[in-house]
Amino acid sequence: MEESKLPKGEQSRGRLLAAAASEFAAKGFHRARVSDIVKAAGLTQASFYQYFESKEGLYQQLMDEFFSRLWELADGGSKVTALGKADVFDQVRENLVALFRFFQERPELTQIVLYQAEAGEELHRKLAAMVSANLRQNQAAGHVRAALSPEVAAEAMVAVCYRLTARFLLTGEKPPEQLADEAVCFLAHGILQEKR
Amino acid sequence: MEESKLPKGEQSRGRLLAAAASEFAAKGFHRARVSDIVKAAGLTQASFYQYFESKEGLYQQLMDEFFSRLWELADGGSKVTALGKADVFDQVRENLVALFRFFQERPELTQIVLYQAEAGEELHRKLAAMVSANLRQNQAAGHVRAALSPEVAAEAMVAVCYRLTARFLLTGEKPPEQLADEAVCFLAHGILQEKR
């Protein structure tokens, strides 16, 4: 929705969240200051405390929103199970488009969460565990190759999404749709030409 | 070769290199001290300077040896071009075994170079450029699928090798051969069951 169509309170809250994401990404949580956040948002310190209890409270809201959507997107593989074989490739592509769009729309938060977080290893493992569970389910449904190690493939898929996001998406080199097309080509069928 | 079969000078030099790799990995280059390196190697400060000009000189030797072998291994894809179709999968697997064995035999240097280096992004791009060139060549030879973006697939492959090394190899969870088997399954043919 365009900012101008939102109620004024929502606009201010949104501008504070956006300004805070930039500040946190640029300076890290500890060095980011409420005074700089309100300045960047064109608002007053008083208005900040109308919407947020503290810098910590704002950060927590940013993270809660980011993660609740990230878990949904990372669980996208679960949508595949019910499909017929013909639709699986398209669904995987669609999941990647949604994931890359989400990252592209929040470059600062993506930077913070995926590449600066102290809890990076924990996050990677949690995401891989979700993907692994979905791969297993889709092996049972006949969509994913039975020979595959779901555990290893899941770690690999998360690493690929991380890297392609950093290398091509956040640099602005490729839009989400193109990156998803090129990524699904690799992830779905690998590099080797089938023997004929 | 077993240490005891090497000439004494080579043994001492080797022990200093090994001790230094541990120190650099544990403390970083700047905080590692020659006095701790010689102590860990069971040698004297004087013997250190028989073999190395300085801490910097030793570090450079470690890096030169590591990288000259890493470039060879990362270029393994060039061996694929001359093969017949039937051998390609096995050659890719063999390349991965060699790469994972190399990392496993030098866990400290691998840690330093792949995961702590300030020049990490530059290294990743250089490796991806080599892999990309080989993918292109193997597309021309009919081994690699024509639909694949070599650039994106190369970035993805390097990211997968990095991650699987950190996650399964350096943790001791999987030996190089098993990890190569599971990685080549994913890299060669992707996750999806072909339509029947």
Side-chain angles (χ1 to χ4, degrees):
Chain A
M1 206 185 300
E2 283 172 52
E3 188 184 76
S4 60
K5 291 186 186 152
L6 290 168
K8 191 143 180 293
E10 274 306 296
Q11 282 182 36
S12 301
R13 185 176 169 278
R15 273 152 66 194
L16 287 164
L17 284 167
S22 299
E23 285 289 307
F24 291 141
K27 299 180 187 165
F29 175 75
H30 292 292
R31 288 194 298 129
R33 297 189 321 184
V34 170
S35 58
D36 291 331
I37 294 169
V38 298
K39 200 172 153 189
L43 294 166
T44 62
Q45 198 109 354
S47 68
F48 181 94
Y49 291 101
Q50 276 189 280
Y51 302 105
F52 306 100
E53 221 168 79
S54 59
K55 185 174 82 167
E56 288 73 12
L58 186 161
Y59 187 77
Q60 203 49 56
Q61 280 196 31
L62 278 175
M63 289 297 131
D64 288 350
E65 288 176 19
F66 188 90
F67 279 110
S68 82
R69 184 78 183 114
L70 182 60
W71 301 144
E72 269 175 49
L73 292 165
D75 199 36
S78 66
K79 292 182 203 159
V80 168
T81 313
L83 299 173
K85 270 207 194 326
D87 305 315
V88 168
F89 184 92
D90 291 339
Q91 182 65 53
V92 175
R93 180 190 175 277
E94 204 176 290
N95 292 346
L96 287 169
V97 171
L99 184 69
F100 290 144
R101 279 192 188 139
F102 172 75
F103 289 148
Q104 192 194 37
E105 284 163 9
R106 296 155 187 81
E108 289 106 346
L109 288 181
T110 299
Q111 198 74 38
I112 293 171
V113 173
L114 267 56
Y115 305 108
Q116 296 181 7
E118 286 160 30
E121 177 63 24
E122 200 190 325
L123 173 62
H124 196 126
R125 290 200 183 202
K126 192 166 168 183
L127 290 169
M130 293 176 80
V131 174
S132 181
N134 286 329
L135 285 173
R136 234 175 265 279
Q137 205 181 334
N138 286 315
Q139 276 180 326
H143 296 316
V144 165
R145 293 192 302 118
L148 207 70
S149 156
E151 188 193 15
V152 165
E155 284 283 345
M157 289 174 77
V158 173
V160 169
C161 290
Y162 269 48
R163 177 60 188 167
L164 297 185
T165 296
R167 176 63 187 79
F168 297 113
L169 198 70
L170 299 186
T171 56
E173 280 184 49
K174 292 180 191 281
E177 297 74 18
Q178 185 192 344
L179 192 57
D181 279 338
E182 296 177 356
V184 72
C185 182
F186 170 79
L187 294 172
H189 299 307
I191 62 169
L192 293 192
Q193 180 64 49
E194 295 293 313
K195 286 174 219 171
R196 284 197 203 108
Chain B
M1 208 185 301
E2 281 173 54
E3 188 184 78
S4 61
K5 292 187 186 151
L6 290 167
K8 192 143 181 291
E10 274 305 296
Q11 283 182 36
S12 301
R13 184 175 169 279
R15 273 153 65 193
L16 286 165
L17 285 167
S22 299
E23 285 289 307
F24 291 140
K27 299 180 186 165
F29 174 75
H30 293 292
R31 288 194 299 129
R33 296 189 321 184
V34 170
S35 57
D36 291 330
I37 293 169
V38 298
K39 199 172 153 191
L43 294 166
T44 63
Q45 197 109 354
S47 69
F48 180 94
Y49 291 102
Q50 275 188 282
Y51 301 107
F52 306 102
E53 222 169 77
S54 59
K55 185 175 82 168
E56 287 73 13
L58 186 160
Y59 186 77
Q60 203 49 57
Q61 279 195 33
L62 278 175
M63 289 298 132
D64 288 350
E65 288 176 20
F66 187 91
F67 278 110
S68 82
R69 184 78 182 115
L70 182 59
W71 300 144
E72 269 175 50
L73 292 166
D75 198 36
S78 65
K79 293 183 203 157
V80 168
T81 313
L83 299 174
K85 271 209 194 321
D87 305 317
V88 167
F89 184 92
D90 290 338
Q91 181 65 53
V92 175
R93 179 189 176 276
E94 203 176 292
N95 292 345
L96 287 169
V97 170
L99 184 70
F100 290 144
R101 281 194 187 138
F102 172 76
F103 289 148
Q104 194 195 35
E105 285 162 9
R106 295 157 187 79
E108 289 106 347
L109 288 181
T110 298
Q111 197 73 40
I112 294 171
V113 172
L114 267 56
Y115 306 107
Q116 296 181 6
E118 286 161 30
E121 177 63 23
E122 199 189 327
L123 174 62
H124 195 127
R125 290 200 182 203
K126 193 166 167 183
L127 291 169
M130 292 176 81
V131 174
S132 180
N134 286 328
L135 286 173
R136 233 176 265 280
Q137 205 182 333
N138 286 315
Q139 277 180 325
H143 296 315
V144 165
R145 292 191 303 117
L148 207 70
S149 157
E151 189 194 14
V152 166
E155 284 283 345
M157 289 175 77
V158 173
V160 168
C161 289
Y162 270 48
R163 177 60 188 167
L164 297 186
T165 296
R167 177 64 186 80
F168 297 113
L169 198 69
L170 299 186
T171 56
E173 279 185 50
K174 291 179 191 281
E177 297 74 18
Q178 185 193 346
L179 192 57
D181 279 338
E182 296 177 357
V184 72
C185 183
F186 171 78
L187 295 171
H189 299 307
I191 62 170
L192 293 192
Q193 181 64 48
E194 296 292 314
K195 285 174 221 174
R196 287 201 200 106

